[in-house]
Amino acid sequence: MDSSTTTTISSLKTTISPNPNPNRTKKTPTLHYKKTKLPSFSTFKSVKCIHSPPPNPKPSNSSPFICTAVTFSPSETTELVPSKLHHLITEFQSLSQPVDRVKRLLHYATFLSPLPDSFRVDSNRVMGCTAQVWLEAQLDQYGKMRFWADSDSEITRGFCACLIWVLDGAVPEEVLKVTTEDLTALNVGLPVGARSRVNTWHNVLVSMQKRARMLVAERDGKKDFDPFPSLVVSSDGIQAKGSYAEAQARYLFPDESKVQELVKELKEKKIGVVAHFYMDPEVQGVLTAAQKHWPHIHISDSLVMADSAVKMAEAGCKFITVLGVDFMSENVRAILDQAGFGEVGVYRMSNERIGCSLADAASTPAYMSYLGAASGSPPSLHVIYINTSLETKAYAHELVPTITCTSSNVVQTILQAFAQIPDLNIWYGPDSYMGANIAKLFQQMTMMSDEEIAEIHPAHNGDSIRSLLPRLHYYQDGTCIVHHLFGHEVVEKINDMYCDAFLTAHLEVPGEMFSLAMEAKRRGMGVVGSTQNILDFIKQRVQEALDRDVNDHLRFVLGTESGMVTSIVAAVRHLLGSTKSSEKAKVNVEIVFPVSSDAITRTSTNSTSGLNSVKVGDIILPVIPGAASGEGCSIHGGCASCPYMKMNSLNSLLKVCHHLPGEKNKVAAYEAARFKLRTPNGKSIADVGCEPILHMRHFQATKELPDKLVYQALYPDSNGRSIS
């Protein structure tokens, strides 16, 4: 708790009369406040319980609760939780001043039963709370949930007291019916750190619900939960849980001879390396280690790769090797040419095509037909995901004025465009999941206050968001085969067993995963965005834990391509190694890989001819057997590993480096060639295809669309094509 909050609480405590005996006999927290008359619920009259913690942390056969009556009719048990919750909502909403709500919380904190030391263990910690919070839950012999909680923050103790008053003694089904939206209605704004404190309501509730699910499963004799594979990073090292995690961890400490071999080639021949986060773990492990010896190695999302290549050329690199899919090397080649570095060679990592399901979706006749409809609805703007080919960008830009976007800036790009161009129609593509998620996000914004909307974009309010929704269109037939893997079964398992963890999700995931991560984001436990957004979120949460300087275990569910883990682990290890926390404080960071239970793991030792193929959209892919022990990939959800990205092998990188510069002919098929084709208007594909990227650069620098693009949208030529 920060000092200003502590001061506020100290001054408030003088107006409240807490129980003078801290060792008082525990009683049911009736939560009566002196000046508030609680409603008389007939269903409460038949029950009088003394809520006492058991003498040991293990449940016993005897109930730890002494009740004069424990029988309810079905209607009574159904109404009990909603009635209590309704009372709390009415009570807190009646207090117009935040200071009065704080007083009420501090008063209720005095009713919270002391928590035995045996319950103050790491496994009982509630993640995501600024303060330390412990929660114990048991299912009693009558099938009712029993909860105990405590915190080192008095305000948080008040939160816990209220939640326990509402949910203690309820059947599990009633505990699971309460939503974080119900708690939002309590209107508990605090003078200092309001958002982080209010998140405590939500995070404690989610932990209560997770415990209820687990206890019911145990009672019903259901199979124990098989955890997803994970990597646990601590200052002592890395622990892999599960064979898939072991495979990832194997390359975090690469062969030093491979590292030195690569560094020698890069230094002698002045070769720069730009790689995407989704690289094969072996390649990323070697590159991460090599970064310490050669500065011109950069691992990032697709947006930054071309920028990094330009900086490397400016620093004297003669060649740039691109570890990604083909549209990434195309972008690097075109941007280097635009920057005046046409003599710098650009090399891919395969002599075959390295595709991308999204880029392929945007190069189909169906996508051009989609843009044809856009060209007939002026004023129109085409917002295209950067994960598309330069050729697609060029053709699209001549049909409809086009600006590229990334998953980290797409929302701001669209909102700015709607604010800057009256009556604009926006056509987003090609990622259907991202388009649907953006539309859903804007729908959710209509339920926000104007002040909350202004925090997202100052030019908008509720009316403007509602007015833009009918003018937002997105392509319906483009998906990323990696993020498509986050299907129903995986999401259901995350919701059941990892709901109290930090959830990360790329904007390209299906709607179920998006909704789950957005709910977590609202209570400070999630992030939805780009790969860089995910990395930054994890780093921020780890740093916050280190700053608190108390033992903590942070768990993050990785909702994107598993190749991200190398950069995440490297960043986390750096933070854990550089902290100056006390010797007693120990922070562990667990990275969880969602994997489908029906993942394919077996193959014949004699032949691969028996393997089937899977159709994902228009793409036919062979089924690749996964790791052992039931872990691997499937179309229903899995290890989220891109087969195209894995074409960028360490051997290919070393091969290209070995043959440069004297034996270019041996790697000629690896070179990223310049576009020689022309657009329908007779212009260079490279020139026209780069313009939407440059429009995005302008937006990133100024937060406004360039005048040229606005003019193109407002005044298309007589043939329906934008003026370039």
Side-chain angles (χ1 to χ4, degrees):
M1 192 185 309
D2 54 55
S3 59
S4 56
T5 303
T6 305
T7 303
T8 301
I9 293 175
S10 298
S11 62
L12 290 172
K13 286 174 67 178
T14 60
T15 65
I16 298 174
S17 300
N19 191 311
N21 181 10
N23 299 316
R24 64 189 182 281
T25 302
K26 293 159 235 165
K27 58 182 180 180
T28 304
T30 57
L31 300 182
H32 288 265
Y33 187 67
K34 299 180 184 180
K35 300 180 181 180
T36 302
K37 184 178 180 181
L38 295 179
S40 177
F41 300 126
S42 60
T43 52
F44 298 168
K45 291 182 179 179
S46 62
V47 180
K48 183 178 180 182
C49 296
I50 300 176
H51 187 171
S52 303
N56 58 68
K58 295 183 178 180
S60 61
N61 293 329
S62 60
S63 172
F65 305 93
I66 305 171
C67 297
T68 59
V70 292
T71 58
F72 294 95
S73 68
S75 62
E76 287 175 332
T77 55
T78 300
E79 296 172 359
L80 192 60
V81 169
S83 296
K84 287 184 173 183
L85 188 58
H86 174 72
H87 165 66
L88 276 183
I89 291 172
T90 302
E91 178 182 1
F92 276 102
Q93 288 184 345
S94 71
L95 301 172
S96 59
Q97 298 301 315
V99 67
D100 292 328
R101 296 194 285 272
V102 175
K103 289 179 182 179
R104 192 65 53 93
L105 282 172
L106 291 175
H107 174 73
Y108 287 167
T110 65
F111 291 103
L112 194 65
S113 300
L115 188 71
D117 290 340
S118 58
F119 287 168
R120 296 174 184 272
V121 294
D122 290 346
S123 59
N124 279 346
R125 285 279 301 279
V126 177
M127 280 191 282
C129 298
T130 304
Q132 292 189 87
V133 186
W134 297 268
L135 174 71
E136 169 68 12
Q138 295 178 11
L139 194 63
D140 72 11
Q141 63 191 38
Y142 304 104
K144 307 293 177 62
M145 290 301 305
R146 301 301 182 179
F147 296 105
W148 298 264
D150 200 3
S151 173
D152 58 3
S153 159
E154 293 184 68
I155 286 180
T156 302
R157 295 184 81 245
F159 287 147
C160 293
C162 292
L163 284 171
I164 287 178
W165 181 70
V166 171
L167 297 176
D168 184 73
V171 294
E173 292 75 14
E174 287 302 304
V175 174
L176 297 176
K177 284 182 181 178
V178 180
T179 67
T180 54
E181 285 77 11
D182 294 330
L183 301 183
T184 302
L186 286 163
N187 190 33
V188 185
L190 306 179
V192 180
R195 183 166 298 175
S196 63
R197 294 297 177 187
V198 173
N199 285 339
T200 299
W201 287 101
H202 303 161
N203 294 333
V204 175
L205 171 65
V206 168
S207 291
M208 286 176 152
Q209 292 174 328
K210 176 182 176 180
R211 306 294 178 86
R213 290 191 194 97
M214 295 178 69
L215 288 167
V216 168
E218 181 181 344
R219 179 197 64 188
D220 296 344
K222 292 183 178 179
K223 181 183 176 183
D224 289 343
F225 162 61
D226 291 326
F228 288 140
S230 65
L231 287 174
V232 181
V233 186
S234 69
S235 56
D236 298 329
I238 298 173
Q239 177 189 3
K241 297 181 177 181
S243 56
Y244 182 76
E246 290 169 0
Q248 295 288 320
R250 190 173 301 124
Y251 297 111
L252 293 173
F253 305 95
D255 183 341
E256 187 59 31
S257 64
K258 292 287 186 182
V259 175
Q260 293 302 323
E261 179 185 0
L262 177 62
V263 170
K264 180 177 180 294
E265 293 287 333
L266 298 178
K267 282 185 174 181
E268 288 182 358
K269 299 172 181 180
K270 296 183 179 179
I271 301 172
V273 180
V274 291
H276 195 273
F277 281 130
Y278 293 170
M279 283 301 95
D280 182 272
E282 179 184 20
V283 179
Q284 285 214 50
V286 171
L287 289 178
T288 301
Q291 281 177 318
K292 301 173 184 177
H293 310 286
W294 180 240
H296 305 304
I297 299 173
H298 193 83
I299 305 170
S300 68
D301 58 17
S302 57
L303 171 65
V304 185
M305 291 171 70
D307 294 340
S308 301
V310 171
K311 292 178 181 178
M312 292 173 188
E314 291 173 342
C317 287
K318 304 299 183 184
F319 306 96
I320 304 295
T321 51
V322 181
L323 282 78
V325 296
D326 282 347
F327 76 78
M328 296 176 183
S329 55
E330 290 173 4
N331 286 346
V332 169
R333 175 71 277 163
I335 294 298
L336 281 172
D337 290 344
Q338 290 278 335
F341 293 102
E343 77 284 357
V344 174
V346 177
Y347 286 84
R348 305 155 55 249
M349 291 299 105
S350 176
N351 57 2
E352 299 178 357
R353 178 178 175 272
I354 308 178
C356 168
S357 60
L358 277 181
D360 292 343
S363 63
T364 61
Y367 195 76
M368 290 300 127
S369 296
Y370 166 72
L371 293 183
S375 66
S377 304
S380 282
L381 178 69
H382 175 217
V383 179
I384 189 170
Y385 196 23
I386 197 168
N387 292 11
T388 48
S389 71
L390 205 63
E391 188 174 9
T392 296
K393 294 180 179 75
Y395 290 158
H397 190 42
E398 286 207 337
L399 195 58
V400 185
T402 298
I403 183 172
T404 59
C405 70
T406 69
S407 48
S408 60
N409 65 25
V410 59
V411 171
Q412 291 298 322
T413 300
I414 292 174
L415 289 175
Q416 179 60 30
F418 275 126
Q420 207 167 331
I421 305 175
D423 302 318
L424 179 67
N425 285 287
I426 284 186
W427 306 76
Y428 169 79
D431 192 305
S432 301
Y433 287 142
M434 188 184 293
N437 293 339
I438 293 166
K440 187 182 298 184
L441 177 62
F442 289 163
Q443 286 281 3
Q444 293 173 353
M445 287 177 65
T446 63
M447 295 180 285
M448 297 180 181
S449 68
D450 287 349
E451 292 75 15
E452 290 172 324
I453 294 173
E455 289 182 8
I456 298 174
H457 195 288
H460 284 282
N461 55 36
D463 289 338
S464 67
I465 297 298
R466 279 185 285 272
S467 70
L468 67 80
L469 284 172
R471 294 180 281 119
L472 174 64
H473 315 272
Y474 61 90
Y475 188 57
Q476 302 285 336
D477 195 24
T479 59
C480 167
I481 59 174
V482 173
H483 295 104
H484 180 74
L485 296 174
F486 290 91
H488 173 71
E489 182 205 336
V490 166
V491 171
E492 188 177 70
K493 194 168 180 179
I494 293 172
N495 189 39
D496 285 347
M497 307 313 303
Y498 292 94
C499 56
D500 59 343
F502 293 100
L503 303 185
T504 72
H506 199 279
L507 256 179
E508 295 176 25
V509 297
E512 289 176 300
M513 184 67 183
F514 172 81
S515 297
L516 205 63
M518 282 298 294
E519 191 280 329
K521 183 177 185 293
R522 283 191 289 272
R523 54 189 172 87
M525 291 293 292
V527 62
V528 178
S530 67
T531 48
Q532 188 62 52
N533 294 148
I534 291 172
L535 180 59
D536 291 343
F537 174 81
I538 294 174
K539 288 164 61 178
Q540 180 183 355
R541 292 297 179 266
V542 172
Q543 187 60 60
E544 289 170 354
L546 293 171
D547 292 342
R548 286 194 294 270
D549 201 18
V550 295
N551 289 349
D552 215 341
H553 183 96
L554 309 182
R555 176 179 285 168
F556 297 89
V557 176
L558 186 59
T560 189
E561 221 272 0
S562 58
M564 271 291 294
V565 72
T566 308
S567 295
I568 292 171
V569 169
V572 169
R573 292 183 70 200
H574 175 74
L575 289 173
L576 296 180
S578 61
T579 183
K580 297 181 179 179
S581 61
S582 66
E583 294 182 2
K584 294 182 180 179
K586 186 176 182 63
V587 175
N588 296 329
V589 180
E590 185 174 6
I591 310 300
V592 178
F593 304 95
V595 172
S596 174
S597 63
D598 66 350
I600 300 166
T601 60
R602 296 180 181 178
T603 183
S604 168
T605 56
N606 300 321
S607 172
T608 60
S609 60
L611 293 177
N612 297 320
S613 294
V614 173
K615 184 175 183 181
V616 181
D618 294 328
I619 310 299
I620 304 295
L621 294 174
V623 174
I624 309 297
S629 305
E631 299 168 8
C633 304
S634 83
I635 62 172
H636 302 291
C639 58
S641 182
C642 176
Y644 298 118
M645 285 289 190
K646 300 318 182 259
M647 292 174 69
N648 294 267
S649 68
L650 180 61
N651 287 338
S652 293
L653 177 58
L654 289 171
K655 176 181 178 179
V656 170
C657 291
H658 284 316
H659 290 301
L660 292 176
E663 299 176 306
K664 288 184 181 180
N665 60 310
K666 293 186 178 180
V667 287
Y670 290 73
E671 188 169 9
R674 293 176 175 85
F675 280 99
K676 298 179 180 179
L677 298 176
R678 317 296 288 183
T679 69
N681 283 353
K683 297 186 177 182
S684 162
I685 281 180
D687 290 342
V688 180
C690 277
E691 190 168 276
I693 301 174
L694 297 176
H695 287 331
M696 181 183 69
R697 302 293 190 203
H698 182 278
F699 170 71
Q700 289 178 301
T702 67
K703 306 305 178 186
E704 292 186 350
L705 303 188
D707 292 340
K708 181 178 181 180
L709 181 61
V710 173
Y711 184 86
Q712 290 171 340
L714 289 173
Y715 306 106
D717 68 9
S718 58
N719 293 324
R721 292 175 181 168
S722 61
I723 300 171
S724 298

